[in-house]
Amino acid sequence: MARTLLIWLSAFLLAVTAVSTVRANCAALQDTPQVPTDPALCKRLDPVVRKPADLPLNEYEKAINQYFGHFCHRNTKAGWVRDKYVRDTGPYVASLINGAWVGADRGTHAPVLIWYSPEFYQWLKKARLEDESKRPAVEPSPPDGSMIVKEMYPAPAALCAKNDPLMLKPTNGAAFMVRSAKSSHDGWYWGWYGWSDDPTANIDWPPRKTNGLPYQGFGQYCLNCHASAKHHSTFSSLTNIEGEPGRPIAFLSQDFALNLDSDPHHKAMTDIAPAVDEPKPAPAMLNPDVAALFNYVISASKADRAADALKMPSASYDVVWVKEHVKTTSKSQFLTSDQCVGCHDAGGTGLQYDMTKPAPLDPDLNPDGTKMINMSPYGTWRNSPMGLAGRDPIFFSQLASETQTFHPEKAAEVQSVCLGCHGIQGQRQFQLDALAKGEKSCPDFERSTVDAVPYPPDNPSAPHADFGALARDGISCSACHHAVFKDADVIKAKLDPSSRCVVARQDLLNPKKLAEGFARTFTGSYFVGPADKLKGPFVKPQTTPMHNALGIQPEHDDTFLKSDVCGSCHTVHLPIFDEGTPLGYTFEQTTYPEWAFSDYRTGVTANKTLPGGPGPKAESCQGCHMQSHDAAGNPLVSKIASIQEHSNFPEVDNGLGAAAIDVERRKNFALHTLVGLNVFLIEMAKQFPDFLGIAVEDPMLVKKGIADIETTYAKMLDNAQNLSASIAVIGVSREGDRLRAKVRIDSKVGHKFPSGVGFRRAFIEFRALDADQQPLWTSGGTNKAGVIVDGDGQPLPGELWWKPDCSARIAPLERRHEPHFQIITAQSEAQIYQELVSAPAPSGPKNCGHGAEPAGALTTSFLSICGHVKDNRILPSGYLPFAERLKIANALGSKGEALAHDTSPVGVGDDPDYKTGGGDTVTYEIDLKSLPRAVADVEATLYYQSIPPFYLQDRFCTAKGTDRDRLVHLTSELKLDDTQAAHWKLKMVSSGLVPVPR
């Protein structure tokens, strides 16, 4: 016993000695004083760094690099002062893990030593006297040009606190603030600087390969904490400063346990992993079917330009903040999501991890079980198709086809119409600013503006950089949360002169002769409320932090629990053009009305109850696409913001109290994943983040979290496999030499399947297999490019629209497509669920619209939809008959019969499954005599294609230039073999093997 105790005591003493040795080692300690090395340079730079708004970011950062690199901020002779010593900003706690003590810093920053410019110090001595009763009744604004430099050191502070601060070089960089009151609502320029031998290490323009948030600028995410200060976004106190009375706040420091290998959270946020695109196969290495299908356009595209010329601008440029200091106005109606990320992304404070859950073990994504899944609004939205809408290469190639081939006469108008959804914030702010300048008409927002960037500062697009940033940010936070649909709010908005371009858009796309009320907002033509208010579903939101940061007041609006918010954009009503001549209107997408006509309808809008009331399976769009319950049906509970609260954070000086800033946990916290089944877009973003200009790691959760795009992808697969449809072989029988099998698909969604843009499609692959599970007979099989083929491997009619060299359409006026089947008897027949539409007739009368006989070629143009050729997409359960649909359509404000007609199935004959919807049954009949061996089993599988081969071919043959070539590059080099979308088709559900009776 004594021997054991002696061994233990010896080990303990060795451990204590080792810890003491480590404790004595301050990694920041230098051999020489770290003081201004070039006084003349410092003197020259000092007036420059005090005016961050006077220079482009790259030039200002170059100056601030030199300033800090030469320690100009430590110029005590010029009146700079500093904290008394390196101090903790929160506790340093020890945990016993696997038999070893492990320390962890729980401060709001790594340990700090703050330097204050002379004018800021003088301001503190007037505005923030230690005796609060002697402070001014209203705290004056800090003088412009004043600076705060927060140097950061290893944790715990005890490592360096006893050293002379002038002998220390910050190991974790410095966070700094420069006052420029009229440049932003909060009045500060924020930045992080890291001491480095690389002169470009702290430069944001041109962006680093990470495509992450910039290190410096106005409206930075630092406000997620600093908006909790009582005044002027700073917690600064005289108590901390050398020579002033009082002592800094002290925190628990269990510094016997050190962990010098861990990075402080703020350092991790400036060290985002690069989003490097892996080398992909050259065209010659593609699978032969893809190479054969697209070889002509791949070769032509790659000969025209280098791949780097096809990259989208980096998301690092996408920064648009509130520039008005006193009141947020329509000049800042729309903001980029980086203004929301600090608070509405998980992990932004580095201390609290609301809006997360532990990620399951995964050999690739989470091998050690330490990572989290980001459930925050920003984290779930950013890499969804909504978040990527302004960078969607499929959309931009479609737009190129529309403006170059289909409707060049209307190119400017078409761009503005289409970007009014995919680039809504840029398009709307562009028009708002034009009105503010006195323009009488609403200018068109063109594609070129989406690429506008601020660097180099003299580049021709720089004046429009904010509009480009807003457009690229996609269907972003302020685009949705400013929307208003209640009648009283709409009346106010309509009377506001700033809404004139919204009214003009309504008149163009939903004229009063065709629409009123809610229907006037179709195609994303909704009104927005005041710029200084944002709306959301929760009652009594905490208002102070957002107001301090952005000058915006959050408000409760139960509209955000209703489907109106989705229906305005997901009902697309467009003009029909023919060589520039308008021929009428059509509904290009009807996802919202399809839902309103189904068992899933709630029967209410923001303003009224609809005819027929709720359906038996009533569920809003948000109920499915913004999950607020876990798999067991329990409501998700979380705070909706990650900010520096009073009750749950280390104590600070000059901070607000709990009543002003503590955030309530909310029941039915809703994920903003907002996805369908477009895995092809997400695969492009996963494999080519640099190419699309996006970041891989989440900017706030960083390495602590699974990449957000993986969460998006997993949700799409969950939708495909569990939440969209089921398929079963419900009967197999022999009748002599014929095999009969019935296949049943049941829809689980509240709209048509597929829904949305008309080129989406699903299809059934039905196979008869021998005893070795080798296929003997297949309907709906494909080659490796996703082209549906017959038993000889030849494309079915209509699978390809163009000759391989894009020289001509293949029989454009013939109806070469698969019809809707109730019985399939040949391998050259396949059940494809799709919508096909035709353009106006090439000559003669141009009869277009509801019930018009299709006379033109099949088209993928959204603005050429003259007639419907086929629409056998599976109807949702309880789909209402025409008369009932008409009542609801009219109640929504769609006049006449157009909406009720355009949501009808087309070309389905007398199929009883298309009377009330809910699914489809197909019978397969096989001549057994034609097969080489006996059939042992049959199997039915449902596949989905968001960008089928005929659609891609039409893009490649009807567009040219950068947007076409970008999609060519991504398509030709995308690796799908090891994914659920192998062979360009997403596998959804399968019946499994079903034995055939002998």
Side-chain angles (χ1 to χ4, degrees):
M1 178 71 178
R3 178 178 174 79
T4 303
L5 182 60
L6 182 60
I7 292 172
W8 180 88
L9 184 58
S10 298
F12 174 77
L13 291 172
L14 285 172
V16 169
T17 301
V19 169
S20 298
T21 301
V22 173
R23 184 187 301 165
N25 179 20
C26 171
L29 187 62
Q30 305 297 303
D31 295 331
T32 58
Q34 305 296 291
V35 294
T37 55
D38 189 339
L41 176 67
C42 292
K43 185 176 182 179
R44 180 174 62 82
L45 290 174
D46 197 71
V48 177
V49 300
R50 304 306 186 92
K51 297 179 179 180
D54 285 4
L55 291 174
L57 183 62
N58 61 304
E59 295 179 27
Y60 181 77
E61 287 182 327
K62 183 178 179 180
I64 205 81
N65 267 9
Q66 291 181 293
Y67 193 77
F68 287 143
H70 287 82
F71 287 98
C72 298
H73 68 289
R74 291 184 173 186
N75 190 349
T76 55
K77 293 180 180 179
W80 281 80
V81 297
R82 60 167 173 82
D83 283 350
K84 293 179 170 74
Y85 45 77
V86 176
R87 56 189 174 85
D88 289 311
T89 61
Y92 187 87
V93 296
S95 301
L96 187 59
I97 301 174
N98 296 327
W101 288 105
V102 178
D105 183 33
R106 296 290 183 255
T108 54
H109 280 267
V112 302
L113 185 126
I114 301 178
W115 289 81
Y116 310 85
S117 68
E119 57 274 81
F120 188 77
Y121 176 49
Q122 293 305 317
W123 174 82
L124 282 174
K125 291 177 74 68
K126 295 177 182 178
R128 294 194 176 175
L129 295 169
E130 186 178 7
D131 184 348
E132 293 191 22
S133 66
K134 296 181 179 179
R135 294 182 180 182
V138 177
E139 184 174 280
S141 176
D144 272 11
S146 55
M147 295 179 68
I148 310 168
V149 183
K150 187 183 299 183
E151 297 178 349
M152 295 184 283
Y153 293 92
L159 285 168
C160 299
K162 294 183 179 180
N163 295 111
D164 179 355
L166 295 180
M167 299 298 291
L168 302 179
K169 185 174 183 179
T171 53
N172 298 321
F176 65 94
M177 303 161 62
V178 185
R179 187 68 176 174
S180 182
K182 294 182 179 179
S183 300
S184 65
H185 172 74
D186 66 273
W188 291 98
Y189 178 93
W190 306 86
W192 179 87
Y193 172 84
W195 276 262
S196 169
D197 294 332
D198 180 359
T200 67
N202 301 292
I203 300 295
D204 289 302
W205 293 356
R208 295 171 297 282
K209 287 185 177 180
T210 62
N211 297 313
L213 299 178
Y215 290 161
Q216 300 182 28
F218 293 101
Q220 288 268 294
Y221 63 82
C222 314
L223 283 160
N224 66 345
C225 287
H226 283 262
S228 295
K230 282 184 180 178
H231 304 292
H232 299 112
S233 304
T234 175
F235 302 100
S236 297
S237 169
L238 281 172
T239 302
N240 297 322
I241 297 176
E242 183 185 31
E244 294 292 334
R247 295 184 52 150
I249 296 170
F251 299 94
L252 170 69
S253 182
Q254 296 177 313
D255 56 0
F256 65 86
L258 297 176
N259 181 11
L260 302 180
D261 294 329
S262 63
D263 281 341
H265 188 69
H266 289 78
K267 186 173 186 298
M269 293 166 75
T270 58
D271 188 27
I272 300 173
V276 178
D277 297 340
E278 296 178 4
K280 301 297 187 297
M285 299 167 59
L286 298 173
N287 81 60
D289 292 317
V290 172
L293 183 57
F294 301 130
N295 186 61
Y296 166 78
V297 71
I298 290 172
S299 300
S301 169
K302 299 206 174 203
D304 287 345
R305 69 188 74 211
D308 279 354
L310 305 176
K311 290 184 177 181
M312 291 286 288
S314 172
S316 300
Y317 287 132
D318 297 352
V319 180
V320 178
W321 66 92
V322 178
K323 297 181 175 65
E324 305 100 310
H325 182 57
V326 178
K327 178 177 174 58
T328 302
T329 72
S330 60
K331 293 178 182 178
S332 298
Q333 181 76 57
F334 297 100
L335 308 172
T336 44
S337 58
D338 70 297
Q339 300 301 295
C340 310
V341 67
C343 298
H344 294 289
D345 194 5
T349 63
L351 290 178
Q352 295 288 3
Y353 291 94
D354 295 289
M355 303 184 286
T356 69
K357 66 179 181 181
L361 286 170
D362 182 278
D364 298 318
L365 300 178
N366 191 24
D368 60 1
T370 61
K371 294 195 174 184
M372 293 173 272
I373 291 176
N374 191 338
M375 302 169 66
S376 69
Y378 179 91
T380 49
W381 161 83
R382 174 70 279 176
N383 287 306
S384 72
M386 296 273 282
L388 295 173
R391 295 177 176 275
D392 183 349
I394 305 161
F395 162 76
F396 283 115
S397 65
Q398 172 79 39
L399 186 59
S401 291
E402 297 283 2
T403 57
Q404 295 170 6
T405 299
F406 299 142
H407 305 291
E409 308 87 353
K410 292 281 188 178
E413 181 179 309
V414 168
Q415 290 172 76
S416 199
V417 166
C418 297
L419 289 167
C421 286
H422 272 258
I424 181 171
Q425 297 196 132
Q427 189 259 13
R428 288 212 175 186
Q429 193 67 55
F430 179 74
Q431 293 187 335
L432 276 170
D433 285 10
L435 293 182
K437 291 176 182 177
E439 293 192 27
K440 301 301 181 184
S441 61
C442 299
D444 289 320
F445 184 74
E446 299 191 2
R447 167 66 185 91
S448 59
T449 307
V450 179
D451 286 338
V453 293
Y455 178 83
D458 59 352
N459 89 84
S461 74
H464 286 163
D466 278 4
F467 307 126
L470 288 165
R472 293 190 299 271
D473 205 41
I475 302 167
S476 190
C477 317
S478 56
C480 292
H481 286 277
H482 275 311
V484 294
F485 292 97
K486 289 185 175 177
D487 287 342
D489 293 330
V490 169
I491 290 170
K492 288 181 183 178
K494 192 183 299 185
L495 294 174
D496 192 314
S498 67
S499 296
R500 186 150 49 89
C501 291
V502 179
V503 174
R505 182 178 174 89
Q506 290 184 346
D507 290 342
L508 172 67
L509 301 177
N510 308 296
K512 292 179 180 178
K513 65 180 180 181
L514 301 178
E516 61 187 3
F518 180 59
R520 288 270 282 168
T521 76
F522 290 165
T523 326
S525 307
Y526 57 85
F527 289 102
V528 295
D532 61 353
K533 299 183 187 302
L534 278 176
K535 296 178 178 291
F538 292 120
V539 297
K540 296 182 180 179
Q542 188 64 278
T543 61
T544 302
M546 187 181 292
H547 186 269
N548 284 352
L550 301 173
I552 294 175
Q553 191 90 352
E555 293 184 338
H556 165 65
D557 186 345
D558 61 7
T559 301
F560 282 79
L561 298 173
K562 295 182 171 66
S563 296
D564 306 44
V565 179
C566 309
S568 175
C569 292
H570 289 277
T571 313
V572 179
H573 190 240
L574 293 173
I576 307 164
F577 289 132
D578 181 55
E579 296 183 347
T581 302
L583 301 179
Y585 288 84
T586 190
F587 285 94
E588 185 269 324
Q589 295 180 44
T590 56
T591 303
Y592 171 84
E594 292 159 15
W595 163 84
F597 301 155
S598 78
D599 276 347
Y600 294 87
R601 66 191 182 277
T602 58
V604 296
T605 71
N607 298 295
K608 64 171 70 172
T609 298
L610 295 173
K617 300 179 180 180
E619 186 71 85
S620 68
C621 304
Q622 296 92 322
C624 290
H625 291 279
M626 297 184 70
Q627 180 183 345
S628 59
H629 292 72
D630 63 19
N634 301 310
L636 299 178
V637 179
S638 177
K639 297 180 180 179
I640 61 171
S642 177
I643 67 170
Q644 183 165 325
E645 299 174 84
H646 173 84
S647 303
N648 304 306
F649 278 74
E651 185 180 358
V652 293
D653 296 301
N654 300 301
L656 289 166
I661 58 176
D662 280 5
V663 180
E664 180 184 349
R665 282 188 169 82
R666 300 288 190 168
K667 189 177 180 180
N668 294 324
F669 170 87
L671 307 183
H672 285 55
T673 317
L674 294 163
V675 300
L677 300 176
N678 192 1
V679 296
F680 297 94
L681 171 62
I682 302 305
E683 280 288 358
M684 290 176 186
K686 281 178 64 177
Q687 295 185 34
F688 296 92
D690 278 0
F691 214 77
L692 297 185
I694 61 175
V696 170
E697 275 190 355
D698 184 90
M700 299 289 112
L701 202 52
V702 289
K703 295 179 177 63
K704 299 181 181 78
I706 300 291
D708 297 333
I709 201 162
E710 297 290 351
T711 304
T712 299
Y713 190 72
K715 177 56 181 169
M716 284 188 172
L717 294 186
D718 180 48
N719 282 356
Q721 296 164 1
N722 302 308
L723 302 174
S724 296
S726 63
I727 190 169
V729 178
I730 59 175
V732 183
S733 62
R734 289 176 181 267
E735 296 179 9
D737 291 328
R738 297 194 72 77
L739 176 68
R740 290 175 58 89
K742 280 190 176 183
V743 173
R744 174 68 186 177
I745 293 177
D746 286 305
S747 172
K748 299 180 181 180
V749 297
H751 44 69
K752 290 182 181 180
F753 175 76
S755 189
V757 289
F759 52 82
R760 312 276 196 233
R761 72 178 188 179
F763 60 92
I764 300 173
E765 179 190 70
F766 180 83
R767 302 192 302 164
L769 309 167
D770 65 15
D772 294 325
Q773 295 186 10
Q774 296 301 306
L776 301 170
W777 191 97
T778 301
S779 163
T782 70
N783 64 19
K784 292 183 178 181
V787 176
I788 301 175
V789 297
D790 62 19
D792 297 322
Q794 296 302 306
L796 298 188
E799 281 298 283
L800 301 177
W801 287 12
W802 289 84
K803 293 182 178 180
D805 63 356
C806 291
S807 59
R809 283 283 295 266
I810 300 170
L813 295 179
E814 297 180 15
R815 296 285 172 248
R816 292 194 175 187
H817 65 271
E818 291 297 281
H820 176 74
F821 291 99
Q822 295 185 58
I823 299 175
I824 288 177
T825 61
Q827 296 182 81
S828 58
E829 300 171 339
Q831 186 73 317
I832 306 173
Y833 300 104
Q834 63 185 161
E835 179 186 32
L836 295 174
V837 295
S838 70
S843 60
K846 310 288 187 180
N847 296 320
C848 298
H850 323 294
E853 189 68 23
L858 294 179
T859 185
T860 60
S861 168
F862 292 179
L863 295 112
S864 299
I865 302 175
C866 185
H868 285 75
V869 177
K870 174 189 177 184
D871 185 356
N872 70 331
R873 294 173 295 171
I874 297 173
L875 299 176
S877 169
Y879 205 62
L880 296 172
F882 177 82
E884 300 305 310
R885 298 204 305 273
L886 181 60
K887 292 177 184 177
I888 294 173
N890 292 162
L892 291 172
S894 181
K895 297 180 179 179
E897 299 183 346
L899 185 55
H901 268 300
D902 282 4
T903 51
S904 300
V906 177
V908 297
D910 61 354
D911 192 330
D913 288 322
Y914 286 79
K915 302 301 181 185
T916 57
D920 184 41
T921 303
V922 185
T923 299
Y924 291 84
E925 294 188 357
I926 302 174
D927 180 5
L928 297 176
K929 297 195 304 296
S930 65
L931 304 182
R933 296 180 299 281
V935 177
D937 303 284
V938 294
E939 180 182 38
T941 304
L942 184 64
Y943 286 98
Y944 180 86
Q945 291 176 322
S946 59
I947 43 174
F950 78 85
Y951 174 81
L952 284 172
Q953 194 187 40
D954 207 39
R955 296 290 64 70
F956 298 158
C957 293
T958 60
K960 58 183 180 293
T962 300
D963 289 330
R964 192 274 312 255
D965 292 348
R966 180 183 299 113
L967 185 61
V968 170
H969 180 90
L970 296 172
T971 303
S972 66
E973 301 198 4
L974 196 64
K975 290 180 179 178
L976 294 174
D977 287 351
D978 297 326
T979 73
Q980 287 292 111
H983 301 166
W984 285 88
K985 56 185 181 182
L986 172 63
K987 183 178 180 180
M988 295 182 61
V989 288
S990 174
S991 67
L993 298 178
V994 178
V996 172
R998 298 184 180 277

